[in-house]
């Protein structure tokens, strides 16, 4: 996981705004509420400054003080920002031309998906000419642990987050009888994905098809989406060529979103 940029190499024009945004981003990347002292320490900010900014953010509903725990969490106003992001669909708007270009480059169908719990929801699909229809239509949900897009995003999550999504064997569904069925199997799979830099699946969603995918990460290293290409197992590009093209597309979308 990448660390949050601290902007130490440049002087912000509005220090208070810069510090406020860094605090919000810090809270957004943590799996649980955080103590003010920890925020100050990890962002190298004065404690008094952190307390003043947190209280101001709380007045506007962007953070919530959990008094009994002496910790701070994101508030409801922060979720409104996320809702606005979803409504404006910048991922789909920026991703669609890149996914289309990827389909033209490889001559195979491509798609863009986002995580929703332990599922992938597809928000863009580009079907290549003379290629069969896939199950990855826009709006379709599929188990993340079985898809290349889902695996790419799961591999970018902290181990604790993955364990929360897959607490026991009942969380592992199957479509073709293939794929991980236990937490340990998924953990090993995600470890290999991180080492390779991309994810793949072969016949785990549909018999006779395979896919490779790569995650699109935000500046904190969290997966915003994933790009993938799918083709028939007996035709199409090599996995290495497909993976290279998919990773380039994911990196470009990542750059544009940032």
């Amino acid at each position: 996981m990448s660390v949050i940029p601290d902007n130490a190499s440049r002087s912000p024009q509005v220090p208070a705004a810069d510090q406020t945004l860094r605090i919000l981003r810090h809270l957004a990347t943590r799996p649980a509420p955080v103590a003010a002292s920890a925020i100050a320490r990890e962002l190298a900010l004065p404690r008094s400054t952190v307390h003043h900014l947190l209280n101001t953010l709380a007045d506007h509903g962007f953070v919530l003080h959990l008094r009994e725990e002496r910790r701070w969490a994101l508030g409801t106003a922060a979720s409104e920002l996320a809702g606005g992001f979803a409504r404006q669909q910048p991922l789909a708007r920026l991703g669609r031309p890149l996914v289309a270009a990827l389909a033209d480059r490889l001559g195979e169908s491509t798609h863009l998906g986002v995580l929703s719990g332990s599922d992938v929801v597809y928000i863009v699909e580009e079907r290549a000419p003379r290629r069969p229809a896939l199950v990855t239509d826009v709006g379709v949900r599929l188990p993340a642990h079985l898809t290349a897009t889902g695996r790419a995003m799961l591999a970018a999550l902290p181990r604790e987050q993955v364990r929360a999504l897959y607490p026991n064997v009942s969380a592992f569904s199957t479509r073709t009888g293939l794929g991980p069925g236990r937490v340990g199997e998924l953990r090993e799979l995600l470890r290999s994905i991180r080492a390779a830099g991309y994810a793949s699946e072969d016949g785990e969603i549909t018999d006779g098809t395979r896919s490779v995918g790569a995650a699109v990460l935000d500046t904190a290293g969290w997966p915003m989406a994933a790009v993938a290409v799918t083709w028939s197992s007996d035709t199409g590009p090599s996995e290495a060529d497909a993976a290279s093209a998919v990773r380039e597309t994911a990196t470009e979308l990542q750059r544009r979103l940032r």
Side-chain angles (χ1 to χ4, degrees), residues 82-96:
F85 180 87
R87 286 192 298 275
Q88 294 174 16
Q89 296 185 316
L91 273 170
R93 290 173 183 270
L94 291 174
R96 185 170 289 108

Side-chain angles (χ1 to χ4, degrees), residues 24 57 59-63 74-90:
L24 284 174
L57 286 167
D59 290 340
H60 291 275
F62 283 95
V63 301
L74 290 177
T76 55
S79 68
E80 293 171 4
L81 291 178
F85 180 87
R87 286 192 298 275
Q88 294 174 16
Q89 296 185 316

